[in-house]
Amino acid sequence: MAAPPYDLRHVGVSQWLNSGVPAPEVAARAGHSVDVLLRIYAKCIDGQEAEMNDRTMRGLGEEEADT
């Protein structure tokens, strides 16, 4: 039995967020506002603090974030 289109959409949006696609881009692709996107899919980006810290440090010219 095939998954309903809404389930496939949810999987796609979740995958984009988990892959690090910026929320405004995901919202635009999904047809949501960023506010709605983050309210519905916040659990998808929860727990990614270490990765976000590493990205921030690389953006500041540091090799790795201190752990």
Side-chain angles (χ1 to χ4, degrees):
M1 182 170 166
Y6 180 81
D7 289 346
L8 297 174
R9 182 175 188 268
H10 183 80
V11 168
V13 171
S14 298
Q15 194 275 331
W16 290 333
L17 288 170
N18 285 325
S19 296
V21 177
E25 177 64 23
V26 176
R29 291 179 183 191
H32 288 306
S33 68
V34 174
D35 180 55
V36 168
L37 177 87
L38 294 177
R39 205 169 340 130
I40 294 170
Y41 295 93
K43 61 188 169 289
C44 292
I45 55 176
D46 188 34
Q48 297 181 4
E49 292 87 5
E51 181 181 345
M52 295 304 113
N53 289 341
D54 287 342
R55 286 184 185 186
T56 300
M57 294 306 288
R58 284 193 306 270
L60 294 171
E62 300 290 328
E63 289 296 317
E64 295 180 9
D66 292 338
T67 54

